[in-house]
Amino acid sequence: MAFEIHPYAPQFLPDLYRICLLTGDSGNDASDLYQHPELLGDVFAVPYVTLEPDLTFVLTDVAGACGYVLGTQDTRAFGRWMNGEWLPPLREKYPLRAVPQGFQDGWLVRFVHQDWEPSKWADEYPAHLHIDLLPRAQGQGMGRRMLETFLGRLRELGVPGVHLGTGWRNRRAVAFYEHLGFARLEDREGVLVFGKKL
């Protein structure tokens, strides 16, 4: 199967939402878990492409978009932008009083209604990233290629390090990051934090 990596373009925006939802349960499909299907994308994908589109890369095959890698080169600046620009409209879109029962929206809606806090690792590893691939793109070396593309761009920008978090239940992701030389920095509340010097 032929895969291609593309710089972000606006036509990929619906794909970011879709892929984020289809991988939103520790790498598995979260469609049945969220009443608001755009909520995951509104928090974990679209802010990044809105602020720094040149740090978003999309993977496609003959069936369409099947993965992305995105992030920020400056986690602290990203946090200030989130709190000042991105989160206030989301608080209107997802009011606390309307948190649905029987779904997982609640924790993420509560997250939206708090200030976005950068990781304590943001000084040593100022960039952070998110990478998600649909099952059909996994196990074929494309995750490595996507990550190398993203890290190459960070190096061009002179960024000294990058960190990321993943759920400990996502064993494939944990093994993937360790195989690519990311160091395990922290294990907190079921989330593993990895870092890599550039």
Side-chain angles (χ1 to χ4, degrees):
M1 185 177 295
F3 292 98
E4 293 185 33
I5 298 173
H6 306 266
Y8 177 75
Q11 67 262 27
F12 289 124
L13 184 62
D15 297 304
L16 299 187
Y17 277 111
R18 178 177 56 85
I19 294 167
C20 194
L21 181 63
L22 292 176
T23 58
D25 181 23
S26 290
N28 299 309
D29 187 352
S31 298
D32 294 334
L33 302 179
Y34 289 86
Q35 187 178 56
H36 298 292
E38 292 188 341
L39 179 56
L40 281 166
D42 278 339
V43 174
F44 295 117
V46 180
Y48 297 90
V49 74
T50 301
L51 183 62
E52 297 176 84
D54 65 320
L55 278 174
T56 298
F57 301 92
V58 178
L59 182 68
T60 64
D61 62 9
V62 293
C66 52
Y68 61 72
V69 60
L70 45 75
T72 178
Q73 63 178 304
D74 184 339
T75 295
R76 294 198 181 281
F78 177 81
R80 291 190 293 271
W81 175 82
M82 283 285 284
N83 292 329
E85 302 292 332
W86 188 258
L87 290 178
L90 284 192
R91 291 168 184 153
E92 295 182 15
K93 183 177 181 180
Y94 304 110
L96 279 171
R97 66 181 179 277
V99 172
Q101 300 301 309
F103 293 90
Q104 290 191 12
D105 301 54
W107 76 272
L108 204 44
V109 171
R110 288 187 290 274
F111 175 86
V112 163
H113 284 263
Q114 301 171 6
D115 279 348
W116 195 95
E117 293 290 335
S119 163
K120 68 181 184 181
W121 302 100
D123 290 329
E124 190 173 357
Y125 303 89
H128 75 266
L129 68 90
H130 297 277
I131 180 171
D132 290 303
L133 275 68
L134 297 182
R136 70 178 192 262
Q138 296 173 9
Q140 302 181 69
M142 297 313 302
R144 173 190 286 271
R145 281 187 55 198
M146 294 283 286
L147 204 52
E148 287 173 349
T149 300
F150 183 86
L151 297 181
R153 179 65 182 135
L154 290 183
R155 289 186 181 100
E156 290 174 357
L157 294 169
V159 178
V162 60
H163 69 280
L164 59 91
T166 190
W168 63 267
R169 290 191 304 123
N170 194 344
R171 295 299 180 191
R172 288 187 65 167
V174 171
F176 170 72
Y177 296 127
E178 290 180 336
H179 180 69
L180 293 182
F182 281 77
R184 192 179 294 200
L185 302 176
E186 183 181 3
D187 183 352
R188 67 169 192 273
E189 299 176 359
V191 175
L192 293 174
V193 180
F194 289 91
K196 186 176 179 69
K197 294 292 181 66
L198 301 177

